[in-house]
Amino acid sequence: MNWTDLTAHELHEALLKKKVSSRELVTAFFERIQSVETKTKAYLTLLQESALIQADQADASIAKGEAGILTGVPIALKDNLCTTGVQTTCASKILEGFISPYDATVVSRLRNAGAVFIGKTNLDEFAMGSSNENSAFDPTRNPWDLSRVPGGSSGGSAAAVAAGEAVFALGSDTGGSIRQPAAFCGLVGMKPTYGRVSRYGLVAFASSLDQIGPLTHDVTDAAIVLNVIAGDDEMDSTSVDLPVPDFRAGLPAEMAGVRIGIPKEYFIEGIDAEVGRAVEQAIETYRRQGAEIKDISLPHTPYAVATYYILATAEASSNLARYDGVRFGHRTSSAKDLMEMYMQSRSEGFGAEVKRRIMIGTHVLSSGYYDAYYKKGQQVRSLIKQDFDAAFESVDCILTPTTPTAAFEAGEKINDPLQMYLSDIFTISVNLAGLPALSMPCGFTEKGLPIACQLISRPFDEEGLFKTAYAFEQCHDYHQRRPQLG
Ligand code: GLN
């Protein structure tokens, strides 16, 4: 048996039955990394030494009968999550060498749960991108086809899990960065409701949109991980003090009587025929299980991408003002005075896409343009949210494709930012409305690339989302397939 192919819940059983130790698992994962990492480039930092120490601690708790569900399970963290004593770069030169003095809340919750940290994964610089090609370091490749992108910005996390270099990974999702790479790499990717998971220690991109969530092989693992990381946190005033149900306890669930909405605005021209067919089949599967399929409309959908690129860049321009060469990471060696030091450090430290967004964000917030862009963007955001509120009066869940196409070729969109921005056309509204959503595999193209569909639920109804996703997962084996990486 290949340990690196299994899920967290399967490995938990094996650990408890003493079929394998955490140390053996960690060793198996590093052997796998040794053989595939030069192809995938999923990681920016590997933590073999500390992982083995964590594994021995996990094995000791298992021996004492104190193991939790994630004890001893090897996992990966996106490199925009602060991790004590380890470099956190956001795949940016400006943060190269920055060692966080503290753990993000999600990181400390996983640490306390006994998970073992294999490494920090690659991303688009500051999570800005859809292909991983905006990383300041070597871009990650898709394990299903190395000439293609793994998606982004959590492309390193997605590739690491798909390639068997970690059991699961955490990503962050501002406009689709968990769901789109999960879709491209054949995984389950989950963005929780805004406020469900603490953002403390997540390096901020757009604070009103960012959420942390899991990339896993299956729905059960996603439910398990969300249970560990979710819940109120006094370090993040936007985290919400609501009880966190046991997401796994409700599985499996009946689909009879569940109302699933199909928004006509998401089945547009330009969506790839194979993707369209796979999503139609997913809808059919739900119908057969007794779900009630309803046509719905989310009329403000066409404005979502434009609205997002106003609001997200505005927030980013403000959040990224802190990288001034004084406090973190890179400082120029050639400045004559303070102003030049700020400017030179930022010019040298940030990549082209980050600079583009800082400039757009500064522009839309500038006096004279604020009302025309930023304020208008906030108003349209409310309309998008209201579309969903109205839809959820007559349906329990919404089903859409996650992406218009399967993974595209590396280099295909990198010189055309607008084309790249359209990769997230189906995921962005969810962040603007603060809703929970999950992407799951629903087929493969003829070339063998994963295809995915997205489920969207009411605020804080992650439970409903998992139930609906699980019902579909029971009907196929897409989540059990693994890429052949030679
Ligand atoms: N691709 C989108 C962007 O470039 C979303 C990124 C994200 O969710 N972090 O902004």
Side-chain angles (χ1 to χ4, degrees), residues 78 127-130 152-153 172-177 205 308-309 357 424:
K78 185 173 180 178
M128 298 176 187
S130 307
S153 62
S172 63
D173 192 312
T174 308
S177 276
F205 163 9
Y308 170 85
Y309 277 97
R357 295 195 188 199
D424 296 306

Side-chain angles (χ1 to χ4, degrees), residues 52-131:
L52 285 169
I53 296 171
Q54 283 182 301
D56 289 342
Q57 288 163 351
D59 285 329
S61 355
I62 295 166
K64 280 192 254 160
E66 289 167 0
I69 181 87
L70 293 184
T71 305
V73 174
I75 69 152
L77 300 167
K78 185 173 180 178
D79 202 24
N80 59 356
L81 294 168
C82 287
T83 316
T84 311
V86 173
Q87 182 165 255
T88 297
T89 68
C90 292
S92 180
K93 292 234 156 73
I94 212 154
L95 274 176
E96 225 179 335
F98 166 65
I99 309 267
S100 170
Y102 68 95
D103 272 343
T105 297
V106 292
V107 174
S108 63
R109 287 185 181 174
L110 285 169
R111 202 188 284 284
N112 294 338
V116 175
F117 302 148
I118 294 287
K120 308 284 300 282
T121 56
N122 206 352
L123 62 152
D124 288 293
E125 186 175 0
F126 283 103
M128 298 176 187
S130 307
S131 68

Side-chain angles (χ1 to χ4, degrees), residues 11-18 20-22 25 62 71-73:
L11 289 175
H12 174 65
E13 294 298 315
L15 285 163
L16 287 193
K17 292 195 182 123
K18 310 272 173 7
V20 69
S21 68
S22 179
L25 284 184
I62 295 166
T71 305
V73 174

Side-chain angles (χ1 to χ4, degrees), residues 14-262:
L15 285 163
L16 287 193
K17 292 195 182 123
K18 310 272 173 7
K19 289 190 179 154
V20 69
S21 68
S22 179
R23 177 170 267 270
E24 284 162 345
L25 284 184
V26 170
T27 308
F29 275 91
F30 276 99
E31 276 166 15
R32 176 74 179 162
I33 289 168
Q34 186 77 33
S35 74
V36 301
E37 177 59 20
T38 50
K39 296 177 191 158
T40 61
K41 308 213 167 75
Y43 284 101
L44 292 176
T45 303
L46 286 165
L47 303 169
Q48 189 156 9
E49 225 173 276
S50 56
L52 285 169
I53 296 171
Q54 283 182 301
D56 289 342
Q57 288 163 351
D59 285 329
S61 355
I62 295 166
K64 280 192 254 160
E66 289 167 0
I69 181 87
L70 293 184
T71 305
V73 174
I75 69 152
L77 300 167
K78 185 173 180 178
D79 202 24
N80 59 356
L81 294 168
C82 287
T83 316
T84 311
V86 173
Q87 182 165 255
T88 297
T89 68
C90 292
S92 180
K93 292 234 156 73
I94 212 154
L95 274 176
E96 225 179 335
F98 166 65
I99 309 267
S100 170
Y102 68 95
D103 272 343
T105 297
V106 292
V107 174
S108 63
R109 287 185 181 174
L110 285 169
R111 202 188 284 284
N112 294 338
V116 175
F117 302 148
I118 294 287
K120 308 284 300 282
T121 56
N122 206 352
L123 62 152
D124 288 293
E125 186 175 0
F126 283 103
M128 298 176 187
S130 307
S131 68
N132 234 267
E133 292 164 296
N134 294 335
S135 171
F137 310 107
D138 271 353
T140 302
R141 291 304 179 90
N142 191 317
W144 292 91
D145 177 346
L146 295 167
S147 72
R148 290 173 191 269
V149 303
S153 62
S154 311
S157 288
V161 178
E165 299 178 75
V167 180
F168 68 83
L170 289 190
S172 63
D173 192 312
T174 308
S177 276
I178 292 174
R179 290 160 287 155
Q180 186 256 20
F184 281 7
C185 292
L187 303 174
V188 172
M190 205 266 169
K191 183 204 97 72
T193 313
Y194 186 80
R196 181 59 106 179
V197 174
S198 166
R199 291 179 296 110
Y200 178 68
L202 166 67
V203 179
F205 163 9
S207 314
S208 78
L209 300 160
D210 298 340
Q211 267 293 288
I212 301 162
L215 292 104
T216 58
H217 284 299
D218 67 6
V219 175
T220 304
D221 270 10
I224 289 170
V225 179
L226 189 64
N227 261 124
V228 172
I229 63 173
D232 189 26
D233 175 18
E234 62 174 17
M235 302 305 281
D236 174 4
S237 60
T238 64
S239 72
V240 173
D241 185 9
L242 273 181
V244 180
D246 180 347
F247 296 119
R248 203 182 166 190
L251 310 177
E254 275 295 311
M255 283 297 102
V258 173
R259 298 163 304 169
I260 299 181
I262 312 296

